[in-house]
Amino acid sequence: MAKYNYDKSVLKGYGVGPFLGEVKVREAHIAAAPAEEIQSIFNANIIAKKLHPSIVFAKVAKVEEQPLAKIYTLVADKEKGTEELPYFRAGQYVSVALFMENGEFISKPYTLAGNPKDAIGENSSYRIMVKESANPHASGFIHENWKVGTEVILGTPVGDFYHNGLRDAKKVIAASGGSGITPFISMAYAIAEGIEDFEMTLLCGHKNWEEIAFRDELDELVKKCKGKFKVIHVLSEAEHEGCEKGFITTDLIKKYAGNDDYSLLICGNRAFYDHMDTVVAELGLPRRRARFELRGEFGAPSNDPAYKGDENATYKLKVWVKDEAHDLECNANEPLIVAIQKAGIGLTTDCRSGICGWCHSRLICGNVFIPESADGRREADKKFGWIHPCATYALSDIEMEVFPSF
């Protein structure tokens, strides 16, 4: 009989060095902490509430123009009860709650693109970039309505797209496509501030030189990081002095990675991810060494070869919120969350990728399709009929129960 009931093979290749190093880091933090009397409320609970509030109230403090995008600086809305914004790891994101004029509710994730240090203290701030879109539903609403002083509701910072010394190599090759640059801006700030200890080479993919966001800021960060951060601009449709021409390829990554052990972090849109899937397969990296940021909505269910439904169909959707039933309609080619949020039901979706579980809902009856690549449910959820509506498509009339935040 085996002594352990878990699969130890996933731990092979990790080594004990990083784990032992964490002991020294923790001991240093404990030694540096002030001696305080024990309180009736444990410090761990105070810190947890501070780091992970259910709702964060903020205001727009600054609006900056960037090529094809706007950058919004957000500060705590103290009048609404948020004294300071929760701290975040470089690479994490927040979900923005949008209440549209037609009664529709949208929960949209945006990566934090600022210095993690700026989130500390009574003058704490966040920064997000909202890009112009070919389908400008959420982004168009933000660009049109967010001004200095606009009140904003956020979720707490979440996501695991950050450097972790137990999992990642000391050397990082970052590959970004378009607005996928944002988490790496934050990581560069963390390196410059000494918050994170790793080296990063950013392969920054854009169509042309004029579309590059944060260009001057990137140059300043390179200087501040003193050799730990490098930027290589990769232009697909133009040539420019000092830039690579073409796409981010296997050969380009190998060129800048050299023979060192490295982690590959990837962020961009779905087309960029489809391209990088092939690149990662060609590189043959261990699974833990190649990681993607959120992929966003899956899109049409027919993107998955396993889909056998009728994308042109429309089905009845009964949604229970506590004891109240909402009779809606849903399109087969859209995830269930679209119909739910169009009805103004405040069901939060932090990732919209089927992973985070914030839209966790109970399927009462009906047939659904969930793409395997976007199915982030636990085995127990699958067994007992729980779904993530952001990655679930109707194959028949549906009855379900949801648990909204608003």
Side-chain angles (χ1 to χ4, degrees):
M1 181 176 178
K3 184 177 179 181
Y4 303 103
N5 61 358
Y6 59 86
D7 182 6
K8 292 184 288 184
S9 64
V10 296
L11 298 175
K12 290 182 178 178
Y14 273 83
V16 297
F19 293 92
L20 295 177
E22 285 295 302
V23 174
K24 294 181 179 180
V25 171
R26 289 172 183 264
E27 288 176 345
H29 281 298
I30 292 170
E36 297 178 353
E37 292 185 10
I38 297 175
Q39 308 176 70
S40 59
I41 301 176
F42 295 116
N43 283 336
N45 293 347
I46 296 172
I47 293 171
K49 186 176 181 180
K50 196 172 183 179
L51 291 176
H52 306 291
S54 56
I55 296 176
V56 177
F57 296 100
K59 284 184 177 181
V60 177
K62 185 178 180 181
V63 181
E64 302 171 75
E65 297 285 344
Q66 285 282 330
L68 306 178
K70 290 183 180 180
I71 299 174
Y72 297 91
T73 298
L74 309 175
V75 297
D77 189 346
K78 298 181 181 181
E79 294 177 359
K80 290 289 185 69
T82 298
E83 292 298 324
E84 62 181 89
L85 301 175
Y87 186 73
F88 66 94
R89 290 287 299 267
Q92 290 189 308
Y93 65 92
V94 292
S95 182
V96 177
L98 301 174
F99 300 89
M100 315 294 274
E101 294 174 352
N102 61 359
E104 181 180 354
F105 170 81
I106 297 178
S107 182
K108 188 80 172 177
Y110 288 98
T111 302
L112 294 162
N115 187 341
K117 190 176 180 180
D118 291 340
I120 300 174
E122 61 179 17
N123 296 318
S124 59
S125 65
Y126 289 164
R127 194 171 61 158
I128 63 172
M129 182 171 77
V130 181
K131 188 179 179 182
E132 293 178 6
S133 172
N135 183 24
H137 194 40
S139 62
F141 177 84
I142 291 174
H143 284 176
E144 185 176 337
N145 292 279
W146 281 19
K147 317 293 181 186
V148 172
T150 299
E151 297 178 353
V152 179
I153 297 178
L154 309 173
T156 190
V158 290
D160 64 355
F161 191 71
Y162 51 78
H163 187 270
N164 185 322
L166 297 177
R167 171 185 58 198
D168 297 313
K170 274 280 204 178
K171 182 171 185 176
V172 168
I173 302 297
S176 72
S179 59
I181 191 176
T182 48
F184 305 123
I185 291 285
S186 185
M187 290 181 195
Y189 272 113
I191 293 170
E193 295 285 356
I195 298 170
E196 302 280 6
D197 182 20
F198 64 95
E199 297 179 6
M200 181 168 66
T201 298
L202 172 60
L203 303 179
C204 184
H206 282 86
K207 290 181 180 179
N208 54 60
W209 181 255
E210 290 71 29
E211 289 189 6
I212 300 174
F214 301 102
R215 199 169 61 210
D216 294 338
E217 193 168 337
L218 285 168
D219 291 340
E220 288 300 314
L221 282 167
V222 169
K223 295 175 185 176
K224 289 180 180 179
C225 289
K226 298 178 180 179
K228 285 191 169 185
F229 176 51
K230 300 175 183 177
V231 178
I232 310 299
H233 293 295
V234 185
L235 308 180
S236 62
E237 296 182 1
E239 293 186 359
H240 195 277
E241 184 179 356
C243 299
E244 295 279 0
K245 176 69 169 64
F247 295 95
I248 298 174
T249 62
T250 303
D251 290 340
L252 193 64
I253 291 172
K254 287 181 177 179
K255 174 181 176 179
Y256 290 99
N259 296 320
D260 299 327
D261 181 27
Y262 68 97
S263 287
L264 176 62
L265 302 184
I266 304 162
C267 185
N269 59 25
R270 184 166 289 277
F272 182 68
Y273 283 172
D274 290 342
H275 166 70
M276 292 304 298
D277 280 334
T278 302
V279 171
V280 169
E282 292 173 349
L283 288 168
L285 292 171
R287 183 177 176 183
R288 72 181 186 280
R289 288 292 197 245
R291 295 191 292 114
F292 291 78
E293 170 59 307
L294 298 174
R295 292 181 178 243
E297 285 188 6
F298 185 80
S302 59
N303 290 333
D304 189 321
Y307 179 72
K308 305 300 180 184
D310 178 7
E311 279 192 329
N312 297 315
T314 301
Y315 297 109
K316 294 179 181 179
L317 174 63
K318 182 183 287 290
V319 178
W320 288 92
V321 180
K322 295 183 178 179
D323 296 326
E324 183 181 357
H326 299 258
D327 293 310
L328 315 174
E329 286 189 345
C330 61
N331 296 322
N333 67 340
E334 295 177 332
L336 295 175
I337 195 65
V338 173
I340 293 169
Q341 292 188 339
K342 278 184 177 178
I345 299 172
L347 183 61
T348 303
T349 54
D350 266 11
C351 72
R352 300 190 81 92
S353 303
I355 297 171
C356 73
W358 281 97
C359 63
H360 197 232
S361 304
R362 185 170 69 94
L363 180 66
I364 298 173
C365 64
N367 298 318
V368 297
F369 173 74
I370 301 174
E372 184 177 353
S373 62
D375 191 355
R377 296 175 299 162
R378 301 168 298 178
E379 289 302 316
D381 292 336
K382 298 176 183 179
K383 180 178 179 180
F384 295 108
W386 290 80
I387 59 173
H388 296 164
C390 69
T392 303
Y393 300 82
L395 293 173
S396 69
D397 292 342
I398 300 294
E399 184 175 359
M400 61 187 292
E401 182 181 16
V402 303
F403 309 90
S405 302
F406 301 100

